[in-house]
Amino acid sequence: MTDPKAIQPSELDQLPDRDPEETAEWRASLDAVTKAAGPHRAAYLMRRTLERAEGAGIALPKLLETDYVNSIPTADEPAVDGDEALEQRITAWNRWNAAAMVTRGSKYGVGGHIATFASAAWLYETGFNHFFKGKEGDGSGDQLYIQGHASPGIYARAFLDGRLNEDHLDNFRREAGGNGLPSYPHPRRLPWLWEFPTVSMGLGPISAIYQARFNRYLTSRGIKDLSDSHVWAFLGDGEMDEPESTTALTLASREGLDNLTFVINCNLQRLDGPVRANFKIVQELEAQFRGAGWNVVKSLWGTAWDELFQLDTTGALVRRLREVPDAQVQTYQTRDAAYIREDFFGKDPQLAEMAKLLSDDKILECFHYSRGGHESRKVYAAYRAALAHKGAPTVILAQTVKGHTLGTGFASKNANHQMKKLTVDQFKDMRDLLGLPIKDSDFTDGVVPYGHPGADSPEVRYLQERRAALGGPAPARRVHPVAPLPAPAEKAFASFDKGSGSQSVATTMAFVRLVKDLVRDKETGKRWVPIVPDEARTFGMESLFPSLGIYSPKGQTYEPVDRDQLMYYKEAKNGQILNEGITEAGSMADFIAASTSYATHGEAMIPFYIFYSMFGWQRTADQMWQLGDQLGRGFLVGATAGRTTLTGEGLQHADGHSPAIAATNPAALSYDPAFAYEVAAVVKDGLRRMYGEAAPGEDPNVFYYLTVYNEPMPQPAKPSGPGVDEGIVKGLYRFNTAESAGLTPAANAPRIQLLGSGTAIHWTLKAQQLLAEEWGVAADVWSATSWTELRRDALDADAALLRGEERVPYVRQVLQGAEGPVLAVSDYMRQVPDQIAQWVEQDWSSLGADGFGLSDTREAARRHFGVDAESIVVAALAQLARRGEVKATAVKEARERYGL
């Protein structure tokens, strides 16, 4: 038998050669031209020959496609290293229990999917028995991205090997009782089993690519050798329509990620019907992946087809397979032999003659059952070929039947994705087909039983022995006990407490300066992972290029154009910065891989991803949700934040809502710091909570979202006195009073509390001065670093009250006794500060930048939205006038004076 490692792609051909001598002559002619005239001449002649063939109407596969046959001929398949009979029985039990679990749960109306795992069972079982490395051996094992709708099959296998019991299976999709199984792979819900959330379609493929890339990054930087880890991503053919599924294919091939394999379950169906009803999804995907530089392995047909291909001496069968659209292939799956004889074979005289040699049973075996994805030998050969291929990632296109083994009521039916249960009779048919020892009497009161061969059965012993040899159970998530990272030197944070004096500094620059200090830390500096989507210069980070280097697996093979400059563009194999180009989705996938390295690899990394705030949450909020599900840790930094600070950029660049979107994510701690010392305090607290010693009751599995601004302003010193540090972290503290600001209001002056966040604090401070000097109003100014954290604390207090516990929300505590009404100001839509309105005892009002952004100067934009200092003054006077504390005429006078 030929070693598949030695097979060249040109030699892989399942079709019989009716004239090998003629074929050899053509090859010899090509070799002769190449030798005599060079490869360019040979390539030229080949192109012209292909053009001639196309012009003559000769049906040929496109250059990026091969024939609609298996890549690996049956004769070249390696022998399966194991007991195929036992594996067949294990797979049968898993098929049964997966279907039983969903069917039993259907009485509660909680849903579930049966047909997907039925089609993909051998794709998983072959991997679990022979390929997927566990986490109890050396290294980190393999990373498995399981297709979300196949989760019942994974639970069924965990049940067979003793990791789950019947009570778990009976609580599939019923988690409220505390002993349930989540619907899909959700690490936050089942953190000992699932590593990667995948059911938000399209996010699994891109995440797998960047995980494989991050594995190489950790290896190149000397953090951990992951050369033995392989990333497997199991995907659906319909899922590949999502743009995220294919957006990073060229990255994987460009960087030679041969530690990555995509396994696409080509059952030809998506949720509503065929993936490509009038076309062929396998051929389309092959062309797409080949064009992107991937190695492609097709496993389309089972061994029952071997006889047909041997009979195809004219190529008529291959031509017919290439021209039949996918929807018609599905139809064959549901029709009898007579129909297939007429519609498939009867279209071509040569095929009609071939069909005369085939029995009805043979035709039905081929068209109803025999697919490459349903045979362990075919899948095993494809996986071996994928691991043997070096220099590029591999995609395996495995053709299957959706609903396979579930009976005629399921197989290839357009509606099978929504079909949640089998009848008792269908289960009995399935039992007979799979050969399982389940008696009719086991169906008590019409309830389908779970099946298990016994903890000491040959099946279970074999399963556990195979997993032990491969390094333990899979899938599995492990958080290895590691010592908390030491806190960086205090001076890195304390240097911001004194302010910037007369120098104007944007908070973006303050953050970058802080990071520059932190990456120099001897203990933790190497663990920082700076991520930027081709905007490093926008955020003033170019000074990090020469000191940290930009990661590239090739290093720097050229002399950079700015080599003679201090901040030249430096790429390096051990570079620390991940500069992803213009891809927020790719950058987020990077962030997710880095932020979960503490669990995936037992290595805590500290990623920060800095981006245009408008293009973070708005574009990739789904990935932020994935990040929360995967229990990621790190810092997301929305730069050029706010609706009015980014002058001239206009509607699609003006962020007035990212904190509102961030507030919807329970794992996101959202901060809108106004001053440099606040930025430092939030980062310091984040490092403590996520990577150091979290306080009792604190969840370390959170991530921080900081908004920072590009507007240079003098940075004040941190106020002295109690409560400032606590207030920065909890969300609110008093920055000054009218008196401490030196405004000396009259003893009986009306008073108001001004709450500002982010850059709005500066307009609020100006309004404080105008109110005192021009209207005799005393205003105290508060810095609201996090409206969201204030709200969450208040919600927790409300929940405590319902439990009979006395607890006062923090926002109410700190504002207790503050005189006058409260006016909140933000550079975001009003609903951002309005999050806390119901817990403020004082009269409440707010100002914000609602609506679309616009291009103009900052001053004009703020006047347009009514959030500038003069607008704040008018709003404050109006609030006080309603209380009778200033004359109503003052409001009109102020509007006229300020031209509002």
Side-chain angles (χ1 to χ4, degrees):
M1 182 175 294
T2 306
D3 182 357
K5 296 181 182 179
I7 298 173
Q8 298 300 313
S10 59
E11 297 176 277
L12 295 176
D13 196 343
Q14 192 166 352
L15 308 180
D17 190 344
R18 63 178 181 177
D19 193 342
E21 185 176 347
E22 182 183 35
T23 302
E25 291 174 356
W26 277 81
R27 288 180 173 176
S29 297
L30 181 63
D31 291 343
V33 170
T34 303
K35 182 177 181 180
H40 295 294
R41 178 60 181 171
Y44 174 84
L45 292 176
M46 286 298 299
R47 286 198 301 272
R48 293 296 174 264
T49 302
L50 289 171
E51 290 172 3
R52 178 69 176 175
E54 184 176 353
I58 299 174
L60 289 172
K62 296 178 182 177
L63 289 177
L64 292 176
E65 297 177 16
T66 60
D67 283 316
Y68 202 66
V69 297
N70 295 348
S71 300
I72 304 171
T74 302
D76 290 308
E77 292 170 3
V80 177
D81 180 22
D83 189 325
E84 292 185 68
L86 271 178
E87 291 179 21
Q88 185 81 38
R89 294 209 294 273
I90 290 169
T91 306
W93 285 115
N94 291 340
R95 288 181 182 278
W96 177 272
N97 288 321
M101 178 194 326
V102 177
T103 297
R104 287 168 66 130
S106 66
K107 66 181 180 181
Y108 301 105
V110 294
H113 300 284
I114 301 177
T116 295
F117 178 72
S119 67
W122 277 113
L123 303 181
Y124 292 106
E125 287 302 318
T126 304
F128 286 131
N129 288 325
H130 301 282
F131 295 95
F132 304 156
K133 293 184 287 292
K135 296 182 175 298
E136 295 176 0
D138 295 334
S140 297
D142 288 351
Q143 289 79 59
L144 309 180
Y145 288 77
I146 305 295
Q147 191 178 2
H149 293 139
S151 63
I154 309 305
Y155 291 139
R157 194 173 212 274
F159 169 67
L160 207 63
D161 73 7
R163 293 199 289 166
L164 295 175
N165 56 40
E166 288 192 14
D167 189 42
H168 288 114
L169 301 193
D170 266 344
N171 283 288
F172 174 60
R173 291 193 171 212
R174 295 194 298 141
E175 302 176 76
N179 196 31
L181 300 178
S183 52
Y184 302 126
H186 292 306
R188 187 169 284 275
R189 293 299 186 203
L190 201 62
W192 60 267
L193 180 73
W194 298 119
E195 274 196 289
F196 308 109
T198 54
V199 83
S200 191
M201 291 196 174
L203 300 191
I206 190 172
S207 295
I209 290 173
Y210 280 88
Q211 182 66 58
R213 196 286 197 88
F214 191 72
N215 290 357
R216 290 282 173 85
Y217 170 89
L218 289 179
T219 301
S220 297
R221 291 195 54 216
I223 303 292
K224 186 173 185 178
D225 183 1
L226 297 170
S227 55
D228 197 40
S229 284
H230 199 84
V231 178
W232 300 83
F234 290 85
L235 317 167
D237 48 359
E239 180 180 7
M240 301 311 293
D241 284 345
E242 289 285 1
E244 294 90 350
S245 294
T246 55
T247 187
L249 296 185
T250 52
L251 166 72
S253 60
R254 183 170 66 246
E255 299 202 0
L257 298 181
D258 50 24
N259 60 339
L260 170 67
T261 297
F262 275 15
V263 182
I264 302 182
N265 177 17
C266 297
N267 58 34
L268 313 185
Q269 286 185 248
R270 51 189 177 200
L271 276 61
D272 287 334
V275 179
R276 292 292 183 272
N278 295 298
F279 306 92
K280 303 193 79 64
I281 185 59
V282 168
Q283 299 299 88
E284 179 181 320
L285 290 173
E286 179 184 28
Q288 192 169 20
F289 277 87
R290 285 193 189 279
W294 286 53
N295 175 46
V296 179
V297 177
K298 294 197 290 192
S299 182
L300 307 182
W301 308 110
T303 52
W305 283 82
D306 289 349
E307 179 183 344
L308 277 68
F309 287 122
Q310 287 299 318
L311 294 171
D312 184 28
T313 59
T314 65
L317 175 63
V318 173
R319 289 196 300 272
R320 182 69 178 134
L321 288 174
R322 191 164 62 235
E323 70 186 20
V324 175
D326 284 350
Q328 190 64 23
V329 173
Q330 281 184 268
T331 299
Y332 295 147
Q333 176 71 32
T334 64
R335 302 300 291 269
D336 59 19
Y339 177 88
I340 299 172
R341 283 183 186 277
E342 178 182 353
D343 191 85
F344 182 83
F345 293 97
K347 302 293 186 182
D348 186 296
Q350 294 169 324
L351 289 181
E353 289 300 312
M354 178 191 296
K356 293 177 181 178
L357 304 175
L358 305 174
S359 68
D360 285 356
D361 286 345
K362 180 66 175 181
I363 289 176
L364 293 179
E365 181 186 11
C366 288
F367 284 85
H368 284 193
Y369 306 109
S370 187
R371 300 290 188 274
H374 292 326
E375 295 187 14
S376 61
R377 283 180 169 269
K378 302 293 185 185
V379 177
Y380 184 90
Y383 287 5
R384 281 279 173 235
L387 294 179
H389 188 83
K390 300 302 177 185
T394 293
V395 59
I396 295 169
L397 303 175
Q399 186 160 273
T400 66
V401 175
K402 193 166 186 176
H404 183 60
T405 73
L406 298 180
T408 56
F410 269 83
S412 288
K413 295 291 187 180
N414 282 337
N416 62 19
H417 193 79
Q418 280 71 37
M419 297 163 72
K420 312 299 182 188
K421 59 184 178 180
L422 277 69
T423 65
V424 170
D425 287 341
Q426 285 174 318
F427 267 111
K428 291 178 179 179
D429 290 343
M430 182 182 179
R431 171 201 61 189
D432 295 342
L433 177 64
L434 298 176
L436 293 173
I438 296 172
K439 301 186 294 293
D440 286 356
S441 59
D442 293 334
F443 291 81
T444 307
D445 297 327
V447 177
V448 57
Y450 294 121
H452 200 293
D456 196 40
S457 64
E459 293 95 329
V460 173
R461 288 201 307 270
Y462 179 85
L463 181 155
Q464 293 176 341
E465 288 168 1
R466 300 301 297 188
R467 288 312 316 158
L470 287 165
R477 182 178 182 272
R478 297 284 186 269
V479 180
H480 302 281
V482 292
L485 295 183
E490 179 63 26
K491 65 180 181 179
F493 306 102
S495 62
F496 294 91
D497 291 351
K498 61 184 178 181
S500 64
S502 59
Q503 182 184 6
S504 292
V505 178
T507 51
T508 300
M509 294 300 100
F511 176 80
V512 172
R513 177 187 150 191
L514 174 63
V515 169
K516 288 172 66 176
D517 291 339
L518 293 175
V519 296
R520 295 191 187 104
D521 186 86
K522 292 182 179 179
E523 296 288 338
T524 61
K526 69 177 183 178
R527 299 195 174 272
W528 283 86
V529 183
I531 302 168
V532 60
D534 199 37
E535 291 280 5
R537 298 183 193 278
T538 301
F539 308 135
M541 293 174 58
E542 63 269 31
S543 60
L544 298 178
F545 289 168
S547 58
L548 301 183
I550 299 165
Y551 170 73
S552 169
K554 288 186 175 294
Q556 195 152 36
T557 61
Y558 60 92
E559 183 176 354
V561 67
D562 54 0
R563 183 63 180 85
D564 58 341
Q565 298 180 16
L566 181 63
M567 293 182 286
Y568 70 96
Y569 195 82
K570 176 186 175 184
E571 295 188 83
K573 291 182 179 180
N574 63 346
Q576 193 164 349
I577 300 170
L578 292 172
N579 192 325
E580 290 306 342
I582 306 174
T583 167
E584 285 82 7
S587 299
M588 268 306 303
D590 255 339
F591 186 89
I592 292 170
S595 69
T596 54
S597 178
Y598 73 92
T600 309
H601 299 305
E603 296 287 346
M605 305 300 289
I606 311 172
F608 78 86
Y609 164 35
I610 188 167
F611 50 87
Y612 266 98
S613 62
M614 183 70 170
F615 303 136
W617 285 90
Q618 177 166 299
R619 282 192 178 176
T620 57
D622 196 14
Q623 287 178 288
M624 273 79 161
W625 203 263
Q626 177 191 13
L627 166 65
D629 191 347
Q630 201 167 317
L631 290 79
R633 306 170 183 175
F635 297 95
L636 297 176
V637 184
T640 59
R643 183 145 279 164
T644 69
T645 61
L646 190 58
T647 57
E649 294 286 351
L651 184 148
Q652 275 194 282
H653 284 66
D655 172 26
H657 51 279
S658 68
I661 305 176
T664 65
N665 191 310
L669 276 61
S670 178
Y671 286 89
D672 186 26
F675 305 122
Y677 66 80
E678 293 178 353
V679 172
V682 171
V683 172
K684 178 181 177 182
D685 183 70
L687 290 173
R688 175 199 61 79
R689 178 169 177 172
M690 296 184 291
Y691 300 97
E693 297 284 358
E698 277 187 329
D699 183 3
N701 299 315
V702 296
F703 59 94
Y704 283 63
Y705 175 55
L706 283 75
T707 50
V708 292
Y709 297 86
N710 67 328
E711 183 175 13
M713 301 292 288
Q715 295 296 324
K718 183 166 75 173
S720 58
V724 174
D725 289 326
E726 179 187 28
I728 292 172
V729 173
K730 289 193 171 182
L732 183 67
Y733 69 96
R734 184 157 52 193
F735 176 73
N736 70 15
T737 64
E739 291 77 9
S740 65
L743 299 175
T744 61
N748 60 348
R751 188 171 290 267
I752 189 169
Q753 308 299 316
L754 302 179
L755 278 57
S757 67
T759 195
I761 199 80
H762 300 288
W763 330 323
T764 307
L765 289 168
K766 182 179 177 182
Q768 178 190 42
Q769 183 177 0
L770 291 174
L771 283 166
E773 295 176 353
E774 299 186 10
W775 305 99
V777 173
D780 300 337
V781 174
W782 300 71
S783 179
T785 53
S786 179
W787 307 103
T788 302
E789 288 307 296
L790 292 172
R791 176 179 176 82
R792 288 175 177 170
D793 172 80
L795 290 172
D796 287 344
D798 285 356
L801 285 173
L802 292 176
R803 297 191 301 267
E805 304 170 16
E806 288 293 330
R807 186 176 155 203
V808 179
Y810 180 78
V811 64
R812 188 170 294 170
Q813 293 178 41
V814 295
L815 287 175
Q816 187 174 14
E819 296 180 42
V822 167
L823 174 61
V825 187
S826 160
D827 202 21
Y828 298 93
M829 55 200 307
R830 286 177 60 182
Q831 76 180 61
V832 174
D834 283 349
Q835 292 180 86
I836 66 169
Q838 71 185 84
W839 293 280
V840 175
E841 294 181 321
Q842 294 87 345
D843 291 342
W844 173 272
S845 184
S846 64
L847 295 175
D850 285 78
F852 288 112
L854 76 164
S855 298
D856 213 310
T857 64
R858 292 181 179 126
E859 293 75 14
R862 286 162 190 166
R863 176 57 58 93
H864 170 81
F865 288 109
V867 292
D868 61 351
E870 292 78 8
S871 298
I872 295 172
V873 169
V874 172
L877 293 174
Q879 205 170 359
L880 292 168
R882 286 194 295 271
R883 295 163 55 93
E885 297 180 19
V886 299
K887 294 179 180 180
T889 56
V891 180
K892 179 181 179 183
E893 183 183 347
R895 281 201 303 266
E896 293 174 349
R897 179 182 302 183
Y898 301 134
L900 297 178

